[in-house]
Amino acid sequence: MARQTGVIQISGTVGGVVFAKDGTVRQKQGSNKSQFNSSASMQRVRENASEFATAASSGKLVRDALRRVVALASDRLMVSRLAQKMKQILNLDEDSDRGGRQVLPENLPTLVGFDFNAGSALSSTYFGRVEPTLDRATGTHAVNLGELNPSRDVAAPQGATHYRINAAVASVNFETGTYNSVEVSTAELPLDNAVRPAESLSLPLVAPADESLVVAVGVDFFQQMNGKFYPLNSNAYNALSVVAVG
């Protein structure tokens, strides 16, 4: 292997030649795509790559389907965490060969409880009752919220004066990569000591039998000033979680 002996310090790749920090010089090795695609020794690698690609695309489909509520509450590692969760769901496919496993509707309940913002889980932010109901026959879905005392049952960040509950349902076809979704939110509700009665958020969405339903519920926070509601500068305290699939 060649070694750099001159006084000129070069690091990186120049014209296909790699200059290492330790002074060594070597030719950059090109990728052998045909070997990757055909070599028997690369079979496991090809299978893993295929399934990670499927997990990533499935996660993106869920994110796109719920994008309006996901935009309100997510952390910087959410994309990779969701892909890992979808990979777990792929692993539950016992019928397909390795490398070709898919997201099957019967395995999707594993997604329930996934928090889009790892730093603010719904279960530790909103302590009121959340009961989703799905009715495929009529396309009438709902999220039922129980009675609660906001000052006691909502873990609000400093500076927040109001909160809002967001709910969404998406019908997702993991085979075709298509989706439809409906979102609904409460008004901005005061973080006071007055007991708030139970209410139901309606989510009407007719879904074909071959599409999976995913329901997410979240909470975000506002500060009221001069009669206007301003979202807090950081959504680090906003929460969003998958609460049901069907």
Side-chain angles (χ1 to χ4, degrees):
M1 178 180 292
R3 178 175 293 275
Q4 177 187 357
T5 59
V7 297
I8 299 176
Q9 299 299 316
I10 303 176
S11 179
T13 303
V14 179
V17 178
V18 179
F19 295 85
K21 291 182 178 180
D22 62 359
T24 58
V25 183
R26 60 180 174 82
Q27 186 174 7
K28 182 180 180 181
Q29 296 182 353
S31 61
N32 193 332
K33 185 175 181 180
S34 62
Q35 181 182 8
F36 176 82
N37 291 333
S38 60
S39 173
S41 64
M42 301 293 286
Q43 179 64 25
R44 295 285 86 83
V45 178
R46 289 195 298 271
E47 293 169 352
N48 290 336
S50 175
E51 292 197 346
F52 276 114
T54 300
S57 62
S58 299
K60 183 178 186 302
L61 188 60
V62 172
R63 299 197 319 269
D64 288 346
L66 299 170
R67 65 182 182 277
R68 291 185 181 88
V69 289
V70 169
L72 300 173
S74 60
D75 63 77
R76 63 184 183 87
L77 297 178
M78 180 270 293
V79 172
S80 59
R81 291 193 300 105
L82 182 55
Q84 291 174 2
K85 178 62 69 173
M86 301 310 292
K87 183 61 171 66
Q88 293 177 16
I89 295 173
L90 283 183
N91 293 343
L92 298 175
D93 179 3
E94 298 180 348
D95 298 324
S96 303
D97 293 334
R98 181 174 176 175
R101 292 179 292 187
Q102 301 296 318
V103 174
L104 302 178
E106 59 266 31
N107 297 329
L108 204 58
T110 300
L111 190 59
V112 174
F114 178 82
D115 285 298
F116 289 88
N117 185 0
S120 184
L122 181 65
S123 60
S124 60
T125 303
Y126 184 83
F127 300 101
R129 178 172 55 86
V130 176
E131 292 184 354
T133 59
L134 299 175
D135 190 337
R136 277 188 173 272
T138 64
T140 303
H141 318 296
V143 171
N144 303 305
L145 304 174
E147 178 183 283
L148 84 162
N149 183 326
S151 65
R152 180 194 63 200
D153 299 325
V154 180
Q158 185 176 5
T161 61
H162 289 71
Y163 72 101
R164 179 178 66 182
I165 302 299
N166 307 299
V169 60
S171 61
V172 183
N173 190 317
F174 288 98
E175 291 187 8
T176 63
T178 57
Y179 62 85
N180 286 295
S181 61
V182 172
E183 304 85 20
V184 64
S185 298
T186 65
E188 292 81 4
L189 307 171
L191 287 161
D192 56 19
N193 200 41
V195 174
R196 179 159 184 83
E199 64 180 310
S200 181
L201 303 179
S202 179
L203 293 164
L205 180 66
V206 177
D210 60 348
E211 294 190 355
S212 298
L213 294 172
V214 180
V215 181
V217 174
V219 56
D220 58 344
F221 297 96
F222 298 84
Q223 185 178 81
Q224 185 180 31
M225 185 176 297
N226 298 329
K228 295 182 179 180
F229 295 102
Y230 296 89
L232 297 189
N233 289 334
S234 172
N235 66 359
Y237 298 98
N238 297 345
L240 180 72
S241 179
V242 176
V243 296
V245 300

